[in-house]
Amino acid sequence: MSFVRTYTKPRVFAAAVLGSLVVGALVGVVARQTEAGWLTDLLDQIGTIFTTLLQIAVIPLVFTAIVVGINSLRGLGGGRTAARLGGKTVLWFAITSFIASLIGIAVGRIFNPGAGGLGGVEATAKNADRAAQSVDHWGSWDAFVKGLLPENFVKAFADGETLQVLFLALVIGAAAYSLGDRAKPFVDFTTSVFEIIQRYLGWIVRLAPIGIIGLIGAAVSNYGDALFRPLFSTTLAVYVGCLLVLFVVYPILLRFVGKVSPLKFFAKAGTAIQFAFASQSSAATLPLTRQSAVNLGVQPAYAAFATPLGSATKMDGCAAVFPAIAAIFVANLAGVSLNFWQYAGIVVVAVVGALATAGTTGWLTAFTLTTSFIGLDAKQVALGLALIYSVNPIMDMMRTATNVAGQITVPVIVARSEGLLDDDVLNAPTDTPQTTDDGSAARHTEPAPA
């Protein structure tokens, strides 16, 4: 047990995650240089198993976390307090998305990805087919609105429709909140299910270093530089845009609005950000995201509400920076010069369409909605998407890390403005394991004693 306790401490676990990133990259290089197909297949299988184990929990996690989170607000005051907290949280989601989209546009204009063509590089037939199907399925606001409302409760879960499950969770959570004690048995049951999922994810997260070696190794081995070099400017633009949001925008907001040291923030949120980078899943990172917010002094009751909501709808990397750069990339491929109103449309989609990013295909939905909203040709969108698919795993690492950092930043800012940030907890050393064995992190839904 002493090894487990030591391993799950933030600094030790963070070192293990960081080390696995390096090992995975090195093993991937070896597999590619030696053309060892068996090693590439092994890495891919390890990564796929790890990702599948994480994704199993996404749908039930989204539903239970949001229902429990909404009802945890009861401990912070009445309905007006809950509404104010919810409103401020969504407002800051929109503000940071607005800033991130502007940065995406600026970086896209500077790097100008896709200008001058790609030297005859073509997408694979498999990616071209995937892209065509994706544009047909997600490429319109009409499809998005229709996809928001489930045909029935069970089908939404069975089909893995994250957006529909999110909608159901918000409605059912609000209804349970309004019923008060009459809904207590349901809320208690949902809380128990949530804690079970937390325990399951805690076990899987401990396997992260092994899974990360597989994910990173497979990405390096499979993609190499055949398609990466022609798409280098696009990939680099996404990384630069996300890094500006991650290490410039968030620190400024934390320092001057949240009154929190950026160094302290990254020290306590670093493990969650690193795990998000490797796993490429905001939802799977939720237990770490929530614990990081609590370790930064956010009242557990509010963190239980804000972080699940953020994991589904707050994605500055996927829904703001990336769509802006990708839209410029597609426009350049088509030889089209975007005008002021089209750039404005990119910003509007980033702010208003954040809900569309719920789920594991959030980047794809944001991309297709953005390009269709500003009027780019569907065939050119499909071509650009087919090319992006080739390097998407590499892009998605940085996008997801940015998403998760924002999902922790906003609760800290709102908590400070509402007097819900405990400076004693914020300034205390963080020795709490990122994944607990007793489920204590999941049960902290009442405000701490004054």
Side-chain angles (χ1 to χ4, degrees):
M1 290 298 293
S2 60
F3 169 76
V4 174
R5 291 196 184 105
T6 301
Y7 174 64
T8 55
K9 286 183 177 180
R11 290 182 181 179
V12 177
F13 186 72
V17 169
L18 186 60
S20 65
L21 290 170
V22 177
V23 172
L26 292 175
V27 174
V29 170
V30 170
R32 185 165 186 83
Q33 293 298 323
T34 61
E35 298 184 352
W38 67 270
L39 181 55
T40 299
D41 291 341
L42 177 62
L43 291 169
D44 189 55
Q45 190 172 36
I46 291 172
T48 299
I49 291 172
F50 178 65
T51 302
T52 301
L53 290 172
L54 290 173
Q55 295 302 330
I56 286 172
V58 167
I59 294 296
L61 178 67
V62 168
F63 180 81
T64 56
I66 289 179
V67 170
V68 171
I70 290 173
N71 284 274
S72 71
L73 294 176
R74 190 181 307 281
L76 300 177
R80 289 185 178 180
T81 300
R84 187 176 69 252
L85 284 171
K88 273 193 175 183
T89 303
V90 172
L91 176 62
W92 273 105
F93 284 177
I95 291 172
T96 50
S97 293
F98 175 77
I99 297 171
S101 64
L102 292 179
I103 288 176
I105 290 172
V107 171
R109 292 276 294 174
I110 293 170
F111 281 82
N112 214 20
L118 298 175
V121 172
E122 296 181 357
T124 63
K126 179 181 177 181
N127 285 340
D129 289 340
R130 288 175 66 193
Q133 293 172 10
S134 298
V135 171
D136 289 340
H137 185 72
W138 282 289
S140 71
W141 283 88
D142 182 61
F144 162 61
V145 173
K146 288 181 178 178
L148 177 64
L149 301 176
E151 293 180 13
N152 63 67
F153 186 91
V154 176
K155 192 173 186 298
F157 282 83
D159 292 346
E161 295 289 349
T162 309
L163 187 58
Q164 296 179 4
V165 172
L166 172 64
F167 174 79
L168 288 170
L170 290 170
V171 173
I172 293 172
Y177 185 97
S178 69
L179 288 172
D181 290 340
R182 286 177 292 173
K184 189 175 185 301
F186 169 75
V187 174
D188 289 343
F189 171 75
T190 306
T191 302
S192 295
V193 174
F194 177 57
E195 291 184 3
I196 291 171
I197 298 169
Q198 288 262 92
R199 175 66 64 88
Y200 166 79
L201 279 174
W203 292 340
I204 303 305
V205 165
R206 290 176 183 177
L207 300 175
I210 298 173
I212 289 169
I213 290 173
L215 289 167
I216 301 298
V220 172
S221 179
N222 283 321
Y223 298 102
D225 61 2
L227 275 167
F228 184 72
R229 282 185 179 178
L231 292 170
F232 178 74
S233 63
T234 310
T235 306
L236 181 61
V238 171
Y239 267 71
V240 170
C242 287
L243 287 171
L244 286 172
V245 173
L246 181 59
F247 291 114
V248 178
V249 175
Y250 293 156
I252 289 174
L253 293 175
L254 286 164
R255 168 64 73 184
F256 296 104
V257 183
K259 309 299 182 184
V260 171
S261 164
L263 292 177
K264 191 173 294 294
F265 173 85
F266 286 111
K268 295 198 172 190
T271 301
I273 295 171
Q274 289 174 26
F275 183 78
F277 181 88
S279 69
Q280 303 168 45
S281 173
S282 295
T285 311
L286 177 56
L288 300 181
T289 304
R290 183 181 180 186
Q291 187 61 50
S292 296
V294 171
N295 289 344
L296 283 160
V298 177
Q299 194 73 264
Y302 172 58
F305 164 76
T307 53
L309 183 63
S311 73
T313 63
K314 171 60 184 166
M315 300 192 181
D316 288 341
C318 287
V321 173
F322 169 73
I325 293 171
I328 293 172
F329 170 68
V330 171
N332 285 336
L333 289 181
V336 174
S337 296
L338 299 180
N339 58 42
F340 171 82
W341 295 110
Q342 287 174 309
Y343 284 121
I346 293 173
V347 176
V348 169
V349 175
V351 175
V352 179
L355 188 63
T357 61
T360 56
T361 58
W363 69 271
L364 174 58
T365 311
F367 169 73
T368 52
L369 287 178
T370 300
T371 51
S372 65
F373 186 77
I374 64 176
L376 293 179
D377 181 71
K379 290 183 179 180
Q380 293 297 329
V381 171
L383 171 62
L385 179 57
L387 292 167
I388 288 172
Y389 266 132
S390 302
V391 293
N392 183 63
I394 298 171
M395 290 184 181
D396 204 26
M397 293 172 186
M398 192 67 243
R399 293 192 310 240
T400 309
T402 307
N403 294 343
V404 167
Q407 293 158 16
I408 302 171
T409 297
V410 169
V412 170
I413 292 172
V414 175
R416 174 65 77 188
S417 69
E418 289 289 316
L420 299 176
L421 196 73
D422 189 330
D423 284 302
D424 291 336
V425 175
L426 171 64
N427 295 317
T430 304
D431 292 324
T432 305
Q434 291 285 343
T435 56
T436 61
D437 277 327
D438 60 4
S440 57
R443 296 192 190 100
H444 289 260
T445 57
E446 296 299 325

